[in-house]
């Protein structure tokens, strides 16, 4: 639940604060946001599976962002769009985590309905 609350707070901050991103960071910020979203969905999934560990979540959050920004920087230096690798990996992981979250929530909802019907 903590990752979801953090995501909501971050979205609200992003909506109400006007933050100008310098043009030289326009490739870094989206990749970093994608990496952060991957960590948030992974944390939410882990919480639903009762496997959430805040140390793993926080370290993964920042390491993913640094790795994504590092790949983007390396791609900029080599003039190769390496950031696409980060976009592909984090994007597919987000969809995978979201599918698993959806299944877990559906199973929990069905279990609650079944439990209510039995009473």
């Amino acid at each position: 639940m903590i990752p979801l609350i953090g995501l909501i707070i971050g979205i609200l901050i992003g909506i109400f604060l006007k933050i100008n991103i310098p043009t030289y960071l326009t490739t870094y910020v989206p990749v970093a946001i994608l990496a952060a979203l991957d960590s948030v969905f992974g944390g939410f999934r882990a919480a639903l599976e009762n496997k959430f560990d805040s140390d793993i979540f926080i370290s993964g959050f920042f390491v993913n962002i640094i790795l994504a920004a590092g790949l983007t920087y390396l791609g900029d230096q080599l003039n190769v769009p390496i950031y696409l690798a980060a976009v592909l990996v984090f994007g597919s992981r987000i969809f995978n985590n979201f599918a698993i979250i959806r299944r877990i929530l559906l199973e929990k909802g069905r279990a609650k309905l079944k439990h209510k019907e039995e009473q």
Side-chain angles (χ1 to χ4, degrees):
M1 197 52 133
I2 293 172
L4 185 61
I5 293 170
L7 177 64
I8 292 169
I9 291 171
I11 289 171
L12 291 175
I13 289 172
I15 289 172
F16 293 112
L17 292 180
K18 298 293 180 193
I19 299 172
N20 292 325
I21 299 170
T23 55
Y24 65 92
L25 293 177
T26 54
T27 56
Y28 293 91
V29 173
V31 174
I33 290 172
L34 196 61
L37 281 175
D38 172 55
S39 294
V40 169
F41 281 114
F44 187 58
R45 172 186 166 189
L48 288 173
E49 295 174 338
N50 296 324
K51 297 178 184 175
F52 183 78
D53 184 339
S54 60
D55 294 336
I56 292 173
F57 172 74
I58 292 171
S59 64
F61 184 84
F62 289 108
V63 168
N64 282 350
I65 291 173
I66 291 169
L67 179 64
L71 283 174
T72 305
Y73 177 77
L74 181 64
D76 280 349
Q77 296 303 309
L78 297 173
N79 203 19
V80 176
I82 295 177
Y83 70 92
L84 292 176
V87 169
L88 181 68
V89 169
F90 290 126
S92 67
R93 284 175 40 162
I94 287 172
F95 281 108
N96 188 28
N97 280 332
F98 190 72
I100 292 170
I101 289 168
R102 180 180 45 82
R103 280 192 216 119
I104 291 171
L105 291 175
L106 283 172
E107 288 173 6
K108 286 186 176 186
R110 287 179 183 159
K112 279 186 180 179
L113 285 176
K114 187 175 181 181
H115 182 70
K116 282 184 181 179
E117 289 175 1
E118 291 175 355
Q119 289 179 349

